[in-house]
Amino acid sequence: MVHRYNRISLLLNLIIMNITINNQDAFVSYQNEIGISLYPNENCIHFFNQDGDHLRIEHKEVSSVKKEFLMDELLDNTQLRELAHHHNLISVCSFDRVSYLNYVLNHS
């Protein structure tokens, strides 16, 4: 009984978040920072970092981001996640503690 209580207690301290990437190509890395490329043209991209700072950068200066690194960054980086969500680059589904437990009980 104690073991089950500990697992439930651990679950209650979490907010469950599911992130779906709608456009992975929009996420790029520049100088070891993951950001978003918006409004690209043939000369440059417009790079927005987690703080919303805007830089005009040549295409050759950025690289693509692996999905697992991107997911980790989106889970940890609230500002980048909100910016990406605002531009419909990701979809976010989150459950609060009670909703998640109700969901689990109804689907188990």
Side-chain angles (χ1 to χ4, degrees):
M1 183 70 168
V2 173
H3 182 52
R4 184 175 178 170
Y5 173 77
N6 287 339
R7 280 195 278 165
I8 292 172
S9 177
L10 179 63
L11 279 175
L12 289 174
N13 290 322
L14 297 175
I15 294 181
I16 307 304
M17 184 178 308
N18 182 26
I19 297 175
T20 303
I21 300 171
N22 299 330
N23 183 359
Q24 185 167 347
D25 294 336
F27 295 93
V28 293
S29 178
Y30 173 69
Q31 296 182 348
N32 295 323
E33 184 174 17
I34 295 177
I36 297 173
S37 166
L38 296 175
Y39 322 115
N41 60 45
E42 55 188 60
N43 298 322
C44 67
I45 66 162
H46 296 268
F47 180 85
F48 293 84
N49 66 11
Q50 68 182 18
D51 299 321
D53 297 334
H54 171 244
L55 301 169
R56 289 178 47 175
I57 303 170
E58 292 185 26
H59 290 277
K60 64 183 178 184
E61 295 181 65
V62 299
S63 59
S64 60
V65 180
K66 289 187 177 186
K67 186 174 183 174
E68 46 279 359
F69 295 135
L70 178 56
M71 289 301 290
D72 288 343
E73 185 70 17
L74 289 170
L75 287 169
D76 293 338
N77 188 329
T78 305
Q79 292 90 347
L80 183 64
R81 185 173 61 244
E82 289 175 355
L83 183 63
H85 187 257
H86 176 76
H87 288 282
N88 296 317
L89 302 175
I90 62 171
S91 300
V92 179
C93 178
S94 59
F95 296 98
D96 62 24
R97 297 170 203 152
V98 173
S99 297
Y100 179 71
L101 290 176
N102 284 331
Y103 173 82
V104 170
L105 288 173
N106 289 329
H107 291 89
S108 58

